[in-house]
Amino acid sequence: MPGRRRGGHGGEVELSGSNGDDNGAAGPAPQQISLVRLIFSCMVAGGVQYGWALQLSLLTPYVQTLGLSHALSSIMWLCGPVAGFVVQPCVGLWSDKCRSRFGRRRPFLFAGCTLICVAVVVVGFSSDIGYALGDTKEHCSVYHGPRWHAAIVYVLGFWLLDLSNNAVQGPARALMADLSGTHGCNAANAIFCSWMAIGNILGYSSGSSGSWHKWFPFLLTRSCCEACANLKGAFLIAVVFLLICLVVTLIVAKEVPLGDPAQSGAKLDSKGGQAHSQNEDRVSFIDIFKAFKNLPPGMPSVLLVTSLTWLSWFPFILYDTDWMGREVYHGNPSGTPAQIDAYDRGVRQGAVGLLLNSVVLMITSLLIEPMCRKLTPRIVWVISNMTMFAGMAGTSIISTWSMKDFHGSIQSVITADGEVRAAALATFAALGFPLAVLYSVPFAVTAQLVVNEGGGQGLCTGVLNISVVVPQVIIALGAGPWDSLFGKGNIPAFALASAIAFVAGVVGTFKLPRLSRKNFKSVGMAGGH
């Protein structure tokens, strides 16, 4: 039976089992699959996250070695949210209506992952490509100036990588929701989050290694020295891992094609075929915005709190390893050889911090479902925002602590205090908890609200993504110039992020929908009713 619902932010929400699509299109009946098959169906998330972890930990520092300034490096990330604003909602809606014999989601996963592999190779070999296009012929161990051809190739590859990642995220999460069955949306989200954590652990472990150039010496070239060769090695392994994960998901995730007469609930016309009009197959970006007026009650509040939460996260996501290289290790990617070495060591330690973060994330992801049943998703989300507030305030305190005995430019000290480094790594680890909540709870809450309304999972996941990409646009445009305005490295952006996290916690306390704990449990890991 359909659940009952009271609108508004404070109303109780109960959930039904419907999983139809918008616009009257009949979606495939919920499939009942084993937990093991569901786990491996989500494996592609680990492959995508492996490359994403490398992108987050290494690419902002690396582009600064090609000549892009710290203030401008954040703008490099602008294409991702812009593409996500357009690509992910449209791809989600297209996948909702896709009638391919291979299923609704898998064709988009295959195409997106193929583009990711191409983009990763372009980024990894950007220095070599730039050298062939006319960059300096001096050896990379001698020349430390800008290499603009390489920088342009790198940025183009980076943008293709962001575009491809956005194309994959929506169908991957929608596939997870489609196949969740009696295991429930929250169980599927926990599995998805666990694969992301595994991808993070492997990716950050790969990024923290300084030995790829030793294991694969052929990666060293005249234009690509040790740090660059290490990046190439890590990215080539990422391609192999992604392809393995993709193949497993394509084989294990058996979808019922949309329009299959065998599926339950299909609408038939007078000739026995499935009734649909050409208009139902014509998807445009305008349809995305029309869908906003039909969002489930409580969804606008979810979008607001999601936006604030991501607004507090993006400064750290963009500059976490750069912060370790600059504020903790006092290095400079464009300075003297000693400063460059200190910066590289700091970046690798930042990758170690992100590895610790991912371990905590993976452990926490297993605890989110019982925590949400005990405390409600709203309270868990608010606690995570307050934890983020404390963590980002901690980075500012650590930065000040690191500089307490130094007077002058932060790049003039080439040592890292052991206690400061330990505190920084502890902060990285502690932030694994709110990150696990951010990766899971907003999507689980959205999936449950959509189930009650009977809407398309792909479309609503894409709409939720808009509340992710808009904050990224703001941070990409403003973080670098904001830091330059104060001349304090990464500290101003991190301090502002702390304040925004606090606001997100307060807003979430009063605005997030109050999901019934009983019904949240019914879609948890314990199974169905």
Side-chain angles (χ1 to χ4, degrees), residues 182-402:
T182 57
H183 302 292
C185 296
N186 196 53
N189 267 294
I191 294 170
F192 196 92
C193 187
S194 296
W195 275 116
M196 293 176 70
I198 291 171
N200 277 336
I201 291 171
L202 296 176
Y204 294 137
S205 298
S206 178
S208 65
S209 173
S211 301
W212 291 108
H213 70 284
K214 298 177 183 177
W215 300 330
F216 304 107
F218 64 88
L219 296 175
L220 291 166
T221 64
R222 188 173 182 81
S223 62
C224 184
C225 289
E226 293 182 2
C228 170
N230 288 331
L231 183 142
K232 282 198 290 190
F235 270 112
L236 289 176
I237 297 300
V239 170
V240 174
F241 183 66
L242 174 60
L243 291 176
I244 293 173
C245 293
L246 174 63
V247 169
V248 171
T249 293
L250 294 179
I251 292 174
V252 174
K254 297 296 184 182
E255 294 186 89
V256 177
L258 188 64
D260 189 337
Q263 71 186 37
S264 173
K267 297 180 180 180
L268 302 179
D269 60 20
S270 58
K271 296 182 180 180
Q274 185 174 8
H276 66 278
S277 67
Q278 289 184 344
N279 289 334
E280 289 177 346
D281 294 327
R282 293 173 184 167
V283 180
S284 71
F285 193 56
I286 296 176
D287 295 333
I288 304 291
F289 289 96
K290 289 182 178 179
F292 274 94
K293 66 181 181 181
N294 297 319
L295 288 175
M299 192 65 191
S301 298
V302 172
L303 297 177
L304 173 61
V305 178
T306 300
S307 296
L308 290 172
T309 305
W310 278 106
L311 199 59
S312 68
W313 264 102
F314 273 124
F316 186 74
I317 288 174
L318 297 187
Y319 288 122
D320 43 20
T321 54
D322 184 75
W323 172 68
M324 284 289 285
R326 290 179 181 270
E327 275 80 1
V328 178
Y329 274 75
H330 308 286
N332 185 344
S334 302
T336 65
Q339 290 174 328
I340 293 173
D341 178 69
Y343 182 79
D344 289 341
R345 286 187 284 113
V347 169
R348 289 197 298 271
Q349 278 296 299
V352 172
L354 291 172
L355 171 62
L356 298 175
N357 176 279
S358 297
V359 172
V360 174
L361 185 152
M362 183 171 62
I363 295 172
T364 303
S365 68
L366 302 176
L367 303 176
I368 287 177
E369 188 266 347
M371 289 173 62
C372 288
R373 292 204 318 258
K374 181 72 173 178
L375 302 174
T376 75
R378 180 177 64 90
I379 297 300
V380 171
W381 197 345
V382 168
I383 292 174
S384 76
N385 281 331
M386 290 305 180
T387 303
M388 182 62 182
F389 157 67
M392 293 309 295
T395 61
S396 299
I397 295 172
I398 290 169
S399 298
T400 303
W401 177 17
S402 178

Side-chain angles (χ1 to χ4, degrees), residues 65-96:
T65 68
L66 300 180
L68 208 63
S69 69
H70 177 268
L72 294 177
S73 61
S74 64
I75 299 178
M76 173 188 69
W77 293 82
L78 185 61
C79 181
V82 171
F85 188 82
V86 177
V87 171
Q88 193 165 135
C90 288
V91 169
L93 188 53
W94 287 334
S95 71
D96 279 343

Side-chain angles (χ1 to χ4, degrees), residues 369-512:
E369 188 266 347
M371 289 173 62
C372 288
R373 292 204 318 258
K374 181 72 173 178
L375 302 174
T376 75
R378 180 177 64 90
I379 297 300
V380 171
W381 197 345
V382 168
I383 292 174
S384 76
N385 281 331
M386 290 305 180
T387 303
M388 182 62 182
F389 157 67
M392 293 309 295
T395 61
S396 299
I397 295 172
I398 290 169
S399 298
T400 303
W401 177 17
S402 178
M403 296 299 300
K404 66 180 180 179
D405 295 324
F406 176 72
H407 303 284
S409 172
I410 63 172
Q411 281 85 25
S412 297
V413 179
I414 314 299
T415 60
D417 181 85
E419 293 182 353
V420 173
R421 181 173 61 248
L425 293 176
T427 301
F428 271 92
L431 291 177
F433 162 65
L435 190 59
V437 174
L438 182 60
Y439 279 167
S440 179
V441 172
F443 293 96
V445 171
T446 297
Q448 291 176 69
L449 293 175
V450 169
V451 162
N452 190 52
E453 190 70 13
Q457 290 286 2
L459 172 60
C460 287
T461 301
V463 169
L464 181 65
N465 185 62
I466 293 175
S467 65
V468 178
V469 299
V470 169
Q472 190 173 348
V473 170
I474 296 172
I475 297 302
L477 290 174
W482 175 261
D483 286 336
S484 297
L485 179 65
F486 291 92
K488 299 292 185 180
N490 297 298
I491 299 175
F494 284 10
L496 181 61
S498 178
I500 295 173
F502 181 79
V503 172
V506 173
V507 173
T509 301
F510 296 101
K511 292 293 187 180
L512 284 174

